[in-house]
Every structure is written in C-alpha cells, then in structure tokens.
Amino acid sequence: DIQMTQSPSSLSASVGDRVTFTCRASQSIDTYLNWYQQKPGKAPKLLIYGASNLQSGVPSRFSGSGSGTDFTLTISSLQPEDFATYYCQQSYSNPPFTFGPGTKVDLK
Amino acid sequence: QVQLVESGGGLVKPGGSLRLSCEASGITFSDNFMTWIRQAPGKGLEWISYISGSGGAKYYADSVKGRFTISRDNAKKSLHLQMNSLSADDTAIYYCARGERGLDDAFDLWGQGTMVTVSA
C-alpha cells in the first residue's frame, strides 16, 4: 500500500503569515493528491483536489502544488479561521485511499 | 439540502456488533462511490471501506477486512456499515463520505460523523 507522510506534524504561526507544509508519498501518485482541513469537532472539508485544483468555495489564499511523490499546501496569508489540522490523501490507488498523519496549525 | 447524515453509533461491548447508516439528501446518490472513514479519539483519519455507485465493487482496509461489511440501497439513498467482532481499537468517530470521480476521486461531501465506543 502507498504510505503518506506529512511534515511538520505541527506548526505555530500568526495571522497574516505565509505557511507551507508538505506531504510525501511512498511511491509516485502522479497528481492524485487531495488536501482536507479539519477543525475540532467537525468533519473534514475538501480544500484541494488533484494536487493543485481549488475546490469550489475555498478561498484563493489556499494553493497546492506538486506531482509524483512530493506535494505542498500553502496558505498565503493565514486567517483566524485557518487554525486547524490539514490532511493529505492519495487517491491514486483507489482504493485503498491513504491519509497522511496530519499537520496541526495553531496560534503562535 | 445537500447532505449526508450518519446514525447508528453508540456504546457496544467487545465482540459485539453495530450497524451504521448514512442517509443522503439533495444528491444523485447512485452516481458516486461512497466510503467510510474513521477517526479514533485524538488520532488521524483512516479510510476503512469503499463501495462503487452500483454496489458491485467493495473494498476494505486490512484493519476491518472480514469483520465489516459495506452496502448501499440506491433507491433509499442510504449507505450502511455492518460492524462485527468489535474491539476497543474500533472506537472512533465514523464518517461517510462521497467520492467524486470528477475531482480525481476526492471526498467532496462528508457527514457529521457518528461515535462508536467499544467498551465493557
């Protein structure tokens, strides 16, 4: 099975900061990489699909890039509502669909 | 409105069984594959099961294979997960989610989750 890793596991940032976190797949997954945001007590929400495509309704400060094994999610200017945990997920081997362990973004 | 609503969670003893349901509204249910994902307390997301739009193809994570059974009733717009031989490791919030082929198989619609607690 394809394994997913994310780094860092957590980061502290301030409102207005540009933040970037990474996701790595254990083998090439082309661009079948999706990003989800999860806030405490809530279901995950799809942000980015196909590595770089913004899901409808998601603010343009979110962007994704990468292909093959290495991917990044960038928030250009962190907003108060962006403090959450972010998960990457591969949909290349569909199924199984593997999630990364997550990156938690909290207030510095 | 467009939504998925899970039900059926609760407290069950080790070795017991539980059946989860996910009711869809506002969508053409049979157009999409569906999945179950779970999240143990304080942990990350774990995909556990998939079913195709027709119900003809089913897949399971190794952690639940042979114990859980996924099914769907397209006429009733409902998805189910029959869970048998439950253990403490199955304690989690269980989410149903819709898979969208047009979005590279991403999960674009999620339910609110239902909590399953396995404890004596």
Side-chain angles (χ1 to χ4, degrees):
Chain A
D1 290 359
I2 299 173
Q3 306 302 316
M4 308 300 293
T5 57
Q6 290 184 245
S7 62
S9 57
S10 64
L11 69 87
S12 297
S14 301
V15 173
D17 283 353
R18 179 183 179 90
V19 297
T20 298
F21 25 90
T22 66
C23 175
R24 178 165 290 172
S26 60
Q27 66 183 72
S28 177
I29 56 171
D30 195 0
T31 57
Y32 287 89
L33 190 283
N34 311 306
W35 291 96
Y36 300 85
Q37 176 194 65
Q38 187 180 33
K39 297 180 181 179
K42 300 294 186 182
K45 171 188 172 183
L46 177 65
L47 296 177
I48 301 279
Y49 66 93
S52 61
N53 301 290
L54 200 64
Q55 169 66 339
S56 176
V58 174
S60 59
R61 63 180 180 274
F62 291 92
S63 63
S65 64
S67 66
T69 60
D70 294 316
F71 302 87
T72 61
L73 176 67
T74 298
I75 308 173
S76 61
S77 177
L78 199 65
Q79 297 302 301
E81 61 268 30
D82 299 338
F83 293 98
T85 300
Y86 293 85
Y87 294 94
C88 64
Q89 175 234 350
Q90 66 83 17
S91 52
Y92 180 80
S93 61
N94 52 341
F97 301 92
T98 323
F99 288 92
T103 293
K104 184 177 180 181
V105 178
D106 59 23
L107 185 62
K108 184 184 291 183
Chain B
Q1 68 274 32
V2 174
Q3 64 178 2
L4 300 172
V5 178
E6 299 98 335
S7 61
L11 175 63
V12 60
K13 288 181 168 51
S17 299
L18 212 54
R19 187 178 191 240
L20 305 183
S21 296
C22 170
E23 307 293 330
S25 58
I27 63 173
T28 306
F29 185 66
S30 59
D31 281 356
N32 297 82
F33 70 86
M34 298 293 294
T35 64
W36 287 98
I37 299 111
R38 69 183 180 183
Q39 185 170 38
K43 303 296 185 182
L45 301 170
E46 179 190 15
W47 169 83
I48 57 171
S49 190
Y50 158 106
I51 187 167
S52 63
S54 67
K58 302 175 184 181
Y59 296 94
Y60 302 93
D62 288 344
S63 58
V64 305
K65 197 174 297 182
R67 300 187 300 121
F68 290 11
T69 302
I70 191 171
S71 62
R72 67 190 295 163
D73 183 334
N74 285 342
K76 296 182 178 179
K77 293 190 174 182
S78 61
L79 174 73
H80 305 283
L81 187 69
Q82 176 66 42
M83 305 187 297
N84 299 330
S85 304
L86 288 163
S87 73
D89 289 343
D90 298 313
T91 293
I93 298 171
Y94 285 72
Y95 297 100
C96 63
R98 179 179 73 173
E100 175 53 61
R101 294 289 185 205
L103 303 181
D104 289 353
D105 293 345
F107 305 156
D108 69 330
L109 182 63
W110 294 64
Q112 84 288 353
T114 187
M115 184 70 205
V116 172
T117 304
V118 184
S119 175

